[in-house]
Each structure stands twice: as C-alpha cells, then as structure tokens.
Amino acid sequence: MTQSVCILGATGSIGQSTLKILQQHPQEYSVFAVTAHSRIVELVEICKQYKPKIAVVPPHKVDELHQLFVQHQLADIEILSGEAGLIAVAEHAETDVVMAAIVGAAGLLPTLAAVKAGKRVLLANKEALVMSGDIMMQAALENNAALLPVDSEHNAIFQCLPQNYFSAERNGQPKLGVSQILLTASGGPFLHHTIERLQTVTPAQACKHPNWSMGQKISVDSATLMNKGLELIEACHLFSVKEHFVTVVVHPQSIIHSMVQYVDGSTLAQMGNPDMCTPIAHALAWPERIQTHVPALDLFQHSQLNFEEPDTVRFPALQLARQAMKTGGITPAVLNAANEIAVDAFLHGKIGFMQIPEIVERTLNRMENKAAASLEVIVQADQTARSIAQQLVMDKGS
Ligand code: NAD
Ligand code: MG
C-alpha cells in the first residue's frame, strides 16, 4: 500500500532530499502535504511536481500562494496556514509518515502533534526533541509512534544498536551489552582555527561546511559545535542514556557517522558517503531498505580516517550543552532558544562568531532552572530565554 507522506519544511535542505527519495519510489510513497515558511515559488514548483493535497504557509503568504496556484492550475490543492495548519497536516488522518524537517523551535508543536497522533515520525528537527525531551519520548511511547532518527549520527547509532534495544526498559543506563555511544563530529569548517581567527570568521565562511550541504542555522551550529551539543542531548533522549555515556569524537572525514561500543570490546560503526538521503531513506523504509542514488562507499578513495578529541576551549558550546543535559529541566530549552537568537544575530552581522556561545552562556546564567513539567512551562522558558538573549545581542551592538 502507498504510504502517504507529510513533509514539514519541504523547501529546506532535508525537505528537498526527502522529495528526491520519494521521487525514486512513486509506487511506495505519495506526497500528501508540504509546508514552507518563505520560499513560496519553490513550494509551487514542488506542488507542480508532487501534487500534494494540502500546502501550508504562514498567514501572510496565503494570498500569494493562492494566486500562484491559480496561475499554475493547482487550485485544487488546499491551502492551510500558520501553526494550526502545520499541526493539522501533521496529525491528519490521511498522513502515515511525517518528515519533521522544520528548523528550530518552530517545529516543536507540529512534531509533537505527529507523535501524539501515533504517526511514523522521521525526526530531523533536533531542536524539538532538545526542548521537550521527556515529554516527546513519553508521547511516542504512549501513542505507539515510531520516532525514527534522521540526523545522520543518530540514524547511525540506531543502526548499530541491537534490534530489541527500544523494547527494553528506559532508565538512563545503556542496556543489552551496550557500554558507550561514540557520537562523531566533523569539527566544522574551523576545526583548527586559533581563537584569534575564530573571532573574525564571517557568516559566509561558517555556512561553507567541508562535507555536508545544509541549511544556514545548522551550518553555523556545526561551526560552533553547538550542533554536536544539541545532538548529544538528542542522543540521550532517543537512546535513553545519561550524558556521560555519550562521547564526542571528532572525525573530520564524515565517513563514519557514529559508533556504538559493547561490553565485550566490540565497536560497531555505520559508514557511508556524507549524503542525508541515506539516513532519510533508512528511516522511511525501516525495517526494510530502499534504493537511493547515493553511491556505495569507495574505501580506496578514503585511505585515511582520523579521530581526535574535541577542544572545548575553542568550542565552548559543546560543554554548555553537556552541562545543560546534566542539569535537565528547562535548561536544554533555554540553551536552544538562546542559541537560535545568537545564531540569527551572527548571520545578520550583529555579533561575532565567538559571541554565540557567550550569549548562550549568559542567558543560561540568568535563568533559574525548573522542572520541564509541561509543554507550557517549556514554551514559556523558550520565550523568556529569547528575550534575554535578544537583549544581550542589543547590548553587544550598542
Ligand atoms: P533549512 O533551513 O534548509 O530548511 C528549514 C525548513 O523549515 C524550510 O522548509 C523552511 O521553510 C522551514 N521553516 C523555517 N522556519 C520556519 C518557521 N518559523 N515555521 C515553519 N517552517 C519554518 O534547514 P535544514 O538544513 O533542512 O534543517 C532542518 C532541520 O533538520 C533542522 O532542525 C536541522 O538541525 C535538521 N538536520 C538537518 C541536516 C542537514 O543536513 N541539512 C542534518 C541533520 C539534521
Ligand atoms: Mg547530525
């Protein structure tokens, strides 16, 4: 039977890679709904090709999209808008699979709606899980939703874990002979820059990742190593382990996508060319496998694989995230919110690169931790952290 797919964030880097795979498998998958935030012309192109039943855009883009749909004979596609529209398609009765590929906290409520509706959720939007960790994992369990990691590292770990790992108890300890998770990091474009050089790097340099082509926000996160910090938190939730069971290993070639160590001395790695189509296809078809256009790994082309320890002095974001996970409660949501504001400010030339972790740290210091008892508490913490971080950005600029 054809699986009906809803792509939250269809115009983004992950959204586009997802569409590329669906195009290769028209018998197995159809596109039910697509969403976009700003690139409306691209959204229309997607709609022309994939003929979804519903498209979702922000309220102020509805008229523009409607006119374009009329122009292109696409007027039978229903248009929904805003957060309510995103939630409606995520939990829609006709949706089987949700690709959660909105960037940042904006993806939290739609992703959670998909989980609560018991969908197969392909999780790219790591910020949603970082913010709401326990609530999202509990909702997946209660509603029998398959929450499948698309982030390449977590997808690799998922592939290296024992098959019945997820049916075992969740108590913060690795189980079934697993002893440690090795989360690999490329180190980003500034891996060996001195602190002095890091102070003057530009947004364009930060967005030019050596191995992966990605959206702007995650590219900057990769350069500060905050991406690895968010991924560390993501791993703790997905695989139910405390933070000290996750070791970050810098591996500049991005050929090994992460590893799992076992008590008997085994280390299992998942390898492949760095292309997000592989983890997306894996999550889409799991437990089966489907074809992608990604070429098989040619090991003779990669005769050297290197590993090093991350430098948390030049890249303090990693340590801030590890500490936030240890602290728990609303702290990871605060870390994420402050980071989103700081990254945006850096991209707009308002602050320097090294001020990103500084603003995150100062925001964390200004907020009292409390239990992430409900979604409302988390959303409130996100809002408060954003205004504090915004104020810190303004103070820098003046
Ligand atoms: P992107 O910037 O290329 O795309 C983001 C998508 O989200 C776009 O479709 C955009 O329209 C939509 N969007 C942005 N702001 C929105 C808002 N306020 N409301 C609704 N929709 C909004 O980003 P990306 O690189 O595709 O990353 C998407 C997510 O996947 C991120 O959470 C990222 O961390 C994660 N991820 C990406 C990669 C990658 O290789 N690109 C790898 C692993 C994980
Ligand atoms: Mg990743």
Side-chain angles (χ1 to χ4, degrees):
M1 219 180 67
T2 311
Q3 297 272 299
S4 176
V5 184
C6 162
I7 307 177
L8 304 174
T11 49
S13 167
I14 293 287
Q16 296 283 350
S17 295
T18 306
L19 288 165
K20 206 160 150 185
I21 296 164
L22 300 183
Q23 187 186 16
Q24 255 183 290
H25 301 278
Q27 307 298 325
E28 289 81 11
Y29 303 100
S30 64
V31 180
F32 171 68
V34 288
T35 85
H37 191 61
S38 55
R39 289 146 61 180
I40 303 302
V41 173
E42 274 104 322
L43 184 70
V44 172
E45 286 307 311
I46 292 170
C47 290
K48 266 197 219 163
Q49 193 178 345
Y50 294 91
K51 302 274 159 40
K53 289 195 184 160
I54 306 178
V56 187
V57 288
H60 67 280
K61 297 278 184 188
V62 168
D63 289 345
E64 183 187 345
L65 183 64
H66 180 68
Q67 278 172 16
L68 287 165
F69 274 180
V70 171
Q71 252 176 48
H72 292 91
Q73 278 97 46
L74 296 170
D76 54 337
I77 298 177
E78 186 182 352
I79 300 175
L80 296 179
S81 69
E83 193 158 67
L86 296 171
I87 292 172
V89 289
E91 64 186 18
H92 200 287
E94 282 187 54
T95 295
D96 299 311
V97 180
V98 174
M99 165 49 85
I102 290 174
V103 60
L108 173 62
L109 297 185
T111 305
L112 199 54
V115 169
K116 285 186 176 161
K119 306 295 183 192
R120 173 186 282 246
V121 180
L122 316 187
L123 185 75
N125 180 205
K126 65 193 86 182
E127 296 92 344
L129 187 60
V130 166
M131 293 174 74
S132 71
D134 292 339
I135 290 180
M136 175 116 36
M137 295 310 296
Q138 189 60 31
L141 203 66
E142 281 169 10
N143 298 286
N144 213 7
L147 189 58
L148 298 164
V150 164
D151 213 345
S152 57
E153 296 78 1
H154 305 74
N155 184 270
I157 295 161
F158 184 86
Q159 294 195 44
C160 296
L161 285 171
Q163 282 226 335
N164 52 346
Y165 189 84
F166 294 89
S167 49
E169 198 191 348
R170 301 180 57 84
N171 60 3
Q173 305 290 322
K175 43 205 163 250
L176 304 179
V178 172
S179 57
Q180 195 73 14
I181 286 173
L182 304 183
L183 184 69
T184 57
S186 70
F190 310 137
L191 177 57
H192 295 121
H193 276 34
T194 59
I195 291 214
E196 293 69 39
R197 266 188 92 189
L198 284 175
Q199 265 146 4
T200 60
V201 296
T202 64
Q205 289 167 331
C207 288
K208 210 162 173 288
H209 196 276
N211 309 333
W212 300 93
S213 147
M214 311 181 285
Q216 283 194 323
K217 194 257 174 185
I218 185 177
S219 296
V220 176
D221 284 348
S222 299
T224 59
L225 287 203
M226 181 58 92
N227 182 50
K228 215 45 58 182
L230 298 174
E231 289 186 357
L232 181 132
I233 299 173
E234 184 186 9
C236 292
H237 290 302
L238 282 171
F239 310 120
S240 177
V241 290
K242 296 214 169 78
E243 56 76 32
H244 61 271
F245 291 110
V246 184
T247 303
V248 174
V249 179
V250 175
H251 163 48
Q253 292 87 1
S254 301
I255 292 299
I256 293 180
H257 298 304
S258 278
M259 295 169 260
V260 173
Q261 292 190 316
Y262 287 82
V263 288
D264 62 2
S266 300
T267 300
L268 300 195
Q270 188 264 356
M271 302 166 77
N273 287 308
D275 188 323
M276 287 308 293
C277 285
T278 299
I280 294 170
H282 176 268
L284 198 58
W286 179 84
E288 288 168 27
R289 298 265 179 179
I290 53 171
Q291 186 101 32
T292 67
H293 65 279
V294 182
L297 188 61
D298 179 356
L299 279 175
F300 301 119
Q301 295 276 322
H302 299 279
S303 50
Q304 275 221 7
L305 298 182
N306 301 90
F307 306 97
E308 52 187 277
E309 255 187 271
D311 179 342
T312 50
V313 175
R314 285 179 304 125
F315 301 102
L318 184 55
Q319 212 46 35
L320 292 175
R322 190 179 279 284
Q323 187 54 47
M325 184 64 213
K326 231 186 216 168
T327 308
I330 57 165
T331 302
V334 171
L335 171 99
N336 177 67
N339 182 57
E340 285 192 34
I341 296 295
V343 169
D344 188 67
F346 170 69
L347 284 169
H348 288 92
K350 294 182 190 160
I351 59 168
F353 183 76
M354 289 306 282
Q355 288 173 331
I356 300 174
E358 196 185 308
I359 284 178
V360 174
E361 184 170 15
R362 290 178 63 188
T363 307
L364 284 165
N365 289 341
R366 287 204 192 173
M367 278 187 70
E368 199 132 333
N369 189 34
K370 57 176 163 185
S374 68
L375 201 56
E376 291 69 35
V377 171
I378 293 167
V379 172
Q380 182 60 54
D382 170 84
Q383 294 302 323
T384 311
R386 275 168 202 271
S387 34
I388 294 174
Q390 203 74 65
Q391 189 58 50
L392 291 167
V393 167
M394 275 164 18
D395 295 348
K396 293 271 172 205
S398 58

